[in-house]
Every structure is written in structure tokens, then in C-alpha cells.
């Protein structure tokens, strides 16, 4: 009788256990189009996704808002946060530090939303070493380095030095993405609408129950 009660109690606990928070990780070189694709995803599902706002040690660029695009702070503060293990992942980029804090991710989860991270492959490596997160990893890939270079130059926002630096980083990221085990999906963005449809359909299949349900946080 007691054994039967314990089994029923265990089943009841499993049924009523809270759903595991979801984490969607998007990676890809600067100029691959990932930001545009994420904007389309957020526009289509405005109440289902939340963006994790990263910490950044560089100064804001024109149009960037503290707490919206990044949490802008000093290098010393980020170094202290790294020391205190407050980040899920962090990396040095050029002369700056950036990272995804645990608090930023938990804030999105507290709103019952899928948390989206836009991070580089170094961040992907770090997340893969952490247990219990179970992220969905997607890499957005340009058709070629030549096309990526053209996109970067057409933006007219980077110096020649920065373009060369971004291309060098892109080579490393593309090499990492060439190992199929590192990502759940690699999308070649040679046509934005086609690439977005591929991203959208893949995510919808993985998170169908969440994306097709009525939002409970509103």
C-alpha cells in the first residue's frame, strides 16, 4: 500500500513539475544577417521570446541605449563579475570584454519566455561545458567570406582595420561551425526570406507547444 502511494506521488510530481526554461543560442559572424533574422522572429512571436541583454565594457555607439542593447559598464566591473562567476559565458573582443550574466537570462525566464542569446563561438564553447541548460544552438553562415566582406563594406560602419579583424574572426567561427556536432542547425543565409523560413520552421518544430499556445505572461 505504501509503495503504491509513493509511485502515485512520484507520477503526480512529474506531471506537475514546472517546464524546463528554454534557451535559444544564435551564433554567426558579424554581417551574416543573424540580427535581422532575430528581429523578424521577435516580430512574428512578440510575446514568446526575450533577448538576454549582455554586459559590454566598450562605450555605447550612436543609437545604442544602456539596458536595451547592452548593459554598458567598466572593464573592471566585468572582470569582477567574471571572478564572482556571475556569467554563463564571457569573452574578450578586440579591447573589450562582454558577457551573458545569469541574472539577465533568469529575468527572461521569469517572464515565461524563451531566452535568446546572440553570442560568438567562444561563448558557444563555454555554454556547451555547462550542465543543465540544454540550449538549442543555431549558426547563421554567409554564403562565402567574399560575400561577407562585401556586406561589411556596404554597411559603411567599420574602419578597414575593423573589417579585417571581423573577417579573421569569421574564418575561425566558420571553421568551428564546420563540425556538425557543434550546432543543431547551420543555415546558409544566401537569401534572407528563405533563411528566415528555415530558422522559423526549425524553432517552431522544437518549441511547438510554447509557440502555438496562448501567452501566459501577458
Amino acid at each position: 500500500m505504501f509503495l503504491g502511494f509513493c509511485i502515485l506521488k512520484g507520477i503526480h510530481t512529474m506531471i506537475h513539475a514546472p517546464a524546463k526554461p528554454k534557451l535559444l543560442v544564435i551564433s554567426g559572424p558579424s554581417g551574416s544577417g543573424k540580427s535581422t533574422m532575430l528581429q523578424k522572429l521577435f516580430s512574428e512571436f512578440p510575446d514568446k521570446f526575450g533577448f538576454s541583454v549582455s554586459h559590454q565594457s566598450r562605450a555605447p555607439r550612436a543609437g545604442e541605449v544602456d539596458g536595451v542593447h547592452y548593459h554598458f559598464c567598466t572593464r573592471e566591473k566585468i572582470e569582477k563579475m567574471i571572478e564572482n562567476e556571475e556569467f554563463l559565458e564571457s569573452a574578450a573582443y578586440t579591447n573589450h570584454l562582454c558577457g551573458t550574466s545569469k541574472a539577465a537570462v533568469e529575468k527572461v525566464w521569469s517572464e515565461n519566455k524563451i531566452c535568446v542569446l546572440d553570442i560568438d563561438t567562444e561563448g558557444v564553447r563555454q555554454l556547451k561545458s555547462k550542465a543543465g541548460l540544454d540550449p538549442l544552438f543555431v549558426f547563421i553562415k554567409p554564403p562565402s567570406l567574399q560575400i561577407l566582406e562585401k556586406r561589411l563594406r556596404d554597411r559603411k560602419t567599420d574602419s578597414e582595420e575593423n573589417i579585417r579583424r571581423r573577417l579573421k574572426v569569421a574564418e575561425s567561427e566558420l571553421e568551428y561551425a564546420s563540425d556538425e556536432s557543434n550546432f543543431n542547425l547551420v543555415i546558409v543565409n544566401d537569401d534572407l526570406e528563405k533563411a528566415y523560413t528555415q530558422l522559423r520552421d526549425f524553432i517552431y518544430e522544437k518549441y511547438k507547444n510554447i509557440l502555438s499556445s496562448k501567452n501566459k505572461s501577458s
Side-chain angles (χ1 to χ4, degrees), residues 170-187:
E171 286 184 26
S172 175
E173 292 186 316
L174 290 170
E175 182 179 354
Y176 182 74
S178 66
D179 183 341
E180 294 182 358
S181 66
N182 287 330
F183 291 91
N184 299 99
L185 177 67
V186 175
I187 298 174

Side-chain angles (χ1 to χ4, degrees), residues 90-102:
S90 60
Y93 188 75
T94 61
N95 297 319
H96 309 293
L97 293 177
C98 58
T100 302
S101 71
K102 296 173 184 177

Side-chain angles (χ1 to χ4, degrees), residues 6-109:
C6 289
I7 292 172
L8 287 173
K9 184 179 180 182
I11 293 173
H12 181 271
T13 301
M14 290 173 65
I15 291 173
H16 294 279
K20 188 174 182 180
K22 303 298 183 183
L23 195 62
L24 172 63
V25 178
I26 305 292
S27 190
S30 177
S32 63
K34 60 185 187 296
S35 296
T36 303
M37 292 169 70
L38 282 176
Q39 288 173 5
K40 290 173 72 66
L41 186 70
F42 276 64
S43 178
E44 184 172 356
F45 302 100
D47 301 318
K48 303 299 184 180
F49 295 95
F51 194 74
S52 171
V53 181
S54 300
H55 283 68
Q56 171 67 258
S57 68
R58 66 166 171 77
R61 294 178 182 138
E64 289 183 331
V65 179
D66 183 38
V68 176
H69 298 94
Y70 292 99
H71 294 296
F72 294 102
C73 56
T74 63
R75 184 184 183 94
E76 290 72 25
K77 180 176 179 178
I78 293 183
E79 288 173 343
K80 188 65 176 177
M81 292 176 70
I82 293 173
E83 183 182 333
N84 293 337
E85 299 183 352
E86 295 180 46
F87 288 111
L88 284 177
E89 60 84 28
S90 60
Y93 188 75
T94 61
N95 297 319
H96 309 293
L97 293 177
C98 58
T100 302
S101 71
K102 296 173 184 177
V105 173
E106 287 166 359
K107 181 180 184 299
V108 175
W109 284 342

Side-chain angles (χ1 to χ4, degrees), residues 4 18 57 80 94 123-124 140 147 158 184-185 188 191 200 204:
S57 68
K80 188 65 176 177
T94 61
V124 171
I140 310 300
I147 290 177
D158 291 294
N184 299 99
L185 177 67
V188 179
D191 177 275
R200 189 255 190 216
Y204 192 87

